[in-house]
Amino acid sequence: MTIGAVPLPLDMAELSFVASGDSLVRRSVLPSGVRILSESVPGARSSTIGYWVAVGSRDETPTTYGSTHFLEHLLFKGTLTRSALEIAVSFDSVGGEHNAMTAKEYTCYFAKVQDRDLPMAIDVIADMFTSSVLDREEFDNERSVILEELAMADDDPPDVTSERFFEAVLGEHPLGRPIGGNAETITAVTRDAVWNHYRANYRAQDVVITVAGAVDHDQLVSAVTSALARAEWKLAEVASPVERRNPDGDLIERGSPLVLVQRPIEQANLILGVPGLAAADPRRATLTVLNSILGGGMSSRLFQEIREKRGLAYSVYSFAPSYSDAGLFGIYAGCSPAKTAQVAELMLSEFRGIATRGVTDEEMRRASGQLSGASALALEDSDTRMSRLGRSELTLGEFLDLDESLRRIAMVTPADVRELAEELVARPLSVAAVGTVPDGAFEGLAESPAPVTN
């Protein structure tokens, strides 16, 4: 049964429907603005829960860069009623998993537990979410931890390449900033600034709670309401959920055609790419197919040409992250510095080849099979279903079940793929590279180099 795309209006208090696989999806919007979504999966014995806010690194001000990620760490460090150890013991003692993620447009605190332990997870994360104290001593300790995390990331060449690529493509756009800030901003940010960020963005009308797996929606709503009430949140006050982001974002001006970070390492890590599509763009299915054919697997054009036929790289792939009002399309490879120019030319040649010559019916068939199988296998995990609910509510404003997603992919034609590739290839190209990169390696790919960063 195909349900199509189910809209998620912010002014609809209750919504319920059956999705593919006979899972029951329900959504409640409380008078306080809290949104609660669940997907009950037949036969599941575990549950994954997430507490979300639509606040990410793009929402920070110059005085708070990195504070969203900083705050994510601090919410595990203790509340008015629980110490950091007690929070950890709550999940470890039942074999559960708990963590958090900060992204460019949202933050999520999540846990996966047995069905019988879901009430505990609801209560503990609600306590963290609403009643963290941001102790000043813990704040200074965690600052050191985050500085170590940033140092670890800076020692990872692919990670550095990715950060430089976002900056090169997106320029001064807030999406181009690193999620975790940098050593200077983390050293400078104050406890009061992070506290104000917390109090301004973690309110009832900001909160989305999603649960997938073994879950009864009515019991979930009751447990969430009780947990938030214990935190003395003013749930009786009427408020509308915060509006979703405007999909018509600011014009993106490329930061640089070429960014080089010279480092004495064994490989050159390079990403070349262009601005992509926003999350709600109707051509997202087409981009998914294009990505699969170009660099989405071992049978992809990039893998076959660069690794299998020529042995020039171990890792080579394409990727297409999307956000509410923007996106990127990139191609990554790690190779010998001496082969940098050749690999870059081949990457761009394969990309342009789809725009000029199109794709074959066989490639379309393989892409459809790969995407269908990967999507179905991913949904065996309640974590994926929980995240799908959160992204649907926060970013898309609609829910797509597996059948509808696959239907959209099946409707993509070779002409659609070629047309989109032509449009993307025509967009301003940026290249980011980290390693011992030879002079002139990217000559002809980018107009002029940016200053070299060591």
Side-chain angles (χ1 to χ4, degrees):
M1 173 183 167
T2 300
I3 60 172
V6 178
L8 302 172
L10 295 178
D11 58 355
M12 180 177 289
E14 295 290 336
L15 181 63
S16 177
F17 55 90
V18 176
S20 56
D22 294 326
S23 66
L24 176 62
V25 178
R26 293 184 61 186
R27 173 178 180 261
S28 299
V29 180
L30 304 186
S32 60
V34 173
R35 287 166 280 173
I36 304 172
L37 296 88
S38 68
E39 183 174 7
S40 179
V41 181
R45 294 296 306 273
S46 65
S47 305
T48 302
I49 180 171
Y51 279 63
W52 306 69
V53 286
V55 176
S57 59
R58 71 173 296 173
D59 302 300
E60 297 163 348
T61 66
T63 60
T64 61
Y65 287 166
S67 60
T68 304
H69 176 243
F70 204 147
L71 181 59
E72 174 217 302
H73 278 242
L74 291 169
L75 262 59
F76 289 89
K77 306 305 291 184
T79 72
L80 295 170
T81 58
R82 287 181 173 90
S83 67
L85 177 60
E86 288 171 329
I87 291 171
V89 167
S90 297
F91 292 100
D92 286 352
S93 62
V94 299
E97 303 169 359
H98 71 297
N99 211 326
M101 57 181 173
T102 304
K104 292 182 182 288
E105 297 194 315
Y106 55 75
T107 310
C108 178
Y109 304 81
F110 57 91
K112 186 172 186 176
V113 293
Q114 294 184 75
D115 50 1
R116 67 186 183 188
D117 298 314
L118 181 58
M120 177 276 295
I122 293 170
D123 188 57
V124 173
I125 301 181
D127 190 28
M128 293 168 47
F129 199 88
T130 63
S131 304
S132 287
V133 294
L134 275 63
D135 178 82
R136 292 185 182 276
E137 183 176 346
E138 291 285 3
F139 184 89
D140 290 332
N141 288 340
E142 205 60 26
R143 190 199 306 272
S144 297
V145 171
I146 293 171
L147 290 172
E148 291 298 330
E149 182 182 2
L150 293 176
M152 180 177 67
D154 197 48
D155 283 341
D156 182 354
D159 194 48
V160 176
T161 311
S162 177
E163 293 287 10
R164 299 293 86 78
F165 175 67
F166 270 77
E167 294 172 3
V169 175
L170 298 173
E172 295 299 318
H173 194 285
L175 288 171
R177 295 197 300 260
I179 291 174
N182 56 47
E184 290 73 26
T185 61
I186 294 301
T187 300
V189 72
T190 66
R191 187 264 182 190
D192 288 343
V194 176
W195 174 261
N196 291 334
H197 185 66
Y198 176 41
R199 302 316 301 173
N201 295 294
Y202 284 59
R203 306 167 300 168
Q205 59 266 44
D206 296 303
V207 181
V208 172
I209 298 166
T210 62
V211 181
V215 56
D216 177 279
H217 187 79
D218 292 329
Q219 293 177 5
L220 170 65
V221 171
S222 177
V224 166
T225 302
S226 297
L228 296 180
R230 282 194 291 276
E232 297 184 359
W233 268 26
K234 299 176 181 179
L235 298 181
E237 292 187 1
V238 176
S240 299
V242 292
E243 294 292 328
R244 298 185 178 98
R245 297 180 192 274
N246 184 353
D248 300 321
D250 297 330
L251 179 66
I252 293 175
E253 297 185 6
R254 181 175 57 172
S256 175
L258 177 60
V259 177
L260 302 178
V261 181
Q262 293 285 3
R263 289 188 177 180
I265 55 179
E266 295 299 317
Q267 276 196 320
N269 297 263
L270 56 147
I271 301 177
L272 61 83
V274 297
L277 303 182
D281 192 298
R283 298 169 296 171
R284 279 297 304 178
T286 303
L287 183 60
T288 301
V289 174
L290 168 59
N291 184 61
S292 174
I293 292 172
L294 180 62
M298 295 177 68
S299 65
S300 68
R301 291 191 179 190
L302 290 170
F303 194 94
Q304 287 296 310
E305 185 66 28
I306 295 175
R307 172 169 166 164
E308 295 296 280
K309 292 182 181 180
R310 300 173 185 263
L312 295 173
Y314 173 75
S315 178
V316 57
Y317 57 87
S318 59
F319 58 99
S322 63
Y323 307 96
S324 59
D325 57 354
L328 294 91
F329 187 73
I331 305 170
Y332 167 85
C335 64
S336 165
K339 304 294 185 181
T340 302
Q342 183 182 4
V343 169
E345 290 171 1
L346 287 168
M347 292 162 71
L348 189 56
S349 176
E350 292 300 324
F351 184 23
R352 288 173 173 167
I354 294 179
T356 57
R357 298 184 298 275
V359 297
T360 67
D361 291 338
E362 171 60 20
E363 286 177 316
M364 294 292 294
R365 185 193 65 79
R366 286 203 307 265
S368 179
Q370 180 199 37
L371 295 169
S372 298
S375 298
L377 292 175
L379 292 174
E380 292 292 310
D381 190 339
S382 60
D383 295 17
T384 301
R385 291 178 181 266
M386 183 278 291
S387 295
R388 179 175 64 173
L389 288 173
R391 292 193 303 271
S392 297
E393 179 63 45
L394 289 172
T395 303
L396 298 176
E398 66 177 8
F399 178 91
L400 305 180
D401 74 353
L402 178 61
D403 290 342
E404 174 61 15
S405 296
L406 298 185
R407 185 188 71 83
R408 294 187 178 191
I409 289 172
M411 291 177 63
V412 176
T413 68
D416 294 332
V417 175
R418 180 174 180 175
E419 181 181 347
L420 179 57
E422 289 176 344
E423 179 181 329
L424 294 177
V425 163
R427 294 180 178 182
L429 179 73
S430 291
V431 181
V434 176
T436 306
V437 182
D439 293 338
F442 303 111
E443 186 175 352
L445 296 185
E447 293 89 332
S448 59
V452 174
T453 304
N454 294 310

